[in-house]
Amino acid sequence: MLTALGHVIRRDLLLAFRRRTDVLSTLVFFVIVCTLFPLGVGPEPELLRTLGPGVLWVAALLASTLALNRLFGLDHADGTLEQMLLSSEPLVLIVAGKVVAHWLISGLPLVLLTPVLALQFDLGPQATASLAVSLLVGTPALSLVGAIGAALTLDVRGGGVLLALLVLPLYAPVLIFGAGAAVAEAGSSAAEANLLLLGGLLAGAAALSPWATASALRISLE
């Protein structure tokens, strides 16, 4: 099963490498939003330090949402998804591999870019580290929850808008605790509490999301 999981992850990473434009569009969107915001609110350092973590988190959330259409859409268009349902490997395992690959493509790069973009908001080393850790824990939860919405809206007319309407309310707890951990002083009890709650959301999503996504895919393809 671990070998099959590794094959699914490797396949999706190779396909993403061949479609680098799609991957770069998500990163460019994230960078543009984070870069334009300081220009709009002004150069006051105190205001930028206050708003910075929330802005970076919202930008990461929206960038992650933009990438959800590619999670199952391309495989569905060329018939690969139907073959996956007929595979001897559990569909839950295949879904888990695709979600991991999706996070490696669209979530991890956002985390790696965060320390650079945090400089625009005059965030200190501790605040930047707390923000990066919260994104590192929170963005996998976004991918897991978003996979359910992507499966439910598969091959639906206007699926992009419907997908956003489905997943954005579910993203709210992740955004609240993630931004709360980033805003709180690094090492404080408030930051640790928010990170623990964020970790709990990630654990719950990791346990339930692959099963829910697999069921949604079967419903969408019937």
Side-chain angles (χ1 to χ4, degrees), residues 26-27 64 101-112 135 139-140 143:
T26 302
L27 299 179
S64 178
H102 175 268
W103 178 76
L104 292 174
I105 296 164
S106 62
L108 184 59
L110 304 183
V111 179
L112 297 178
L135 285 170
T139 48
S143 295

Side-chain angles (χ1 to χ4, degrees), residues 49 53 124-131 178-195:
R49 282 193 293 268
Q126 289 187 339
T128 301
S130 181
L131 175 62
V183 171
E185 184 179 352
S188 66
S189 58
E192 292 178 0
N194 280 287
L195 286 175

Side-chain angles (χ1 to χ4, degrees), residues 15-110:
L15 290 176
F17 181 76
R18 294 172 184 172
R19 302 186 182 97
R20 289 186 291 271
T21 304
D22 293 338
V23 179
L24 290 176
S25 63
T26 302
L27 299 179
V28 169
F29 174 83
F30 179 63
V31 172
I32 288 176
V33 171
C34 295
T35 302
L36 290 179
F37 196 88
L39 300 177
V41 300
E44 293 82 2
E46 189 63 32
L47 179 62
L48 290 176
R49 282 193 293 268
T50 302
L51 299 178
V55 171
L56 288 165
W57 248 102
V58 171
L61 183 150
L62 295 177
S64 178
T65 304
L66 287 177
L68 288 177
N69 284 326
R70 300 194 302 270
L71 188 55
F72 302 113
L74 297 175
D75 288 337
H76 177 60
D78 61 14
T80 304
L81 194 58
E82 285 81 357
Q83 298 300 317
M84 289 180 177
L85 264 69
L86 298 174
S87 171
S88 59
E89 299 296 337
L91 182 58
V92 174
L93 184 69
I94 296 174
V95 167
K98 293 184 71 63
V99 172
V100 171
H102 175 268
W103 178 76
L104 292 174
I105 296 164
S106 62
L108 184 59
L110 304 183

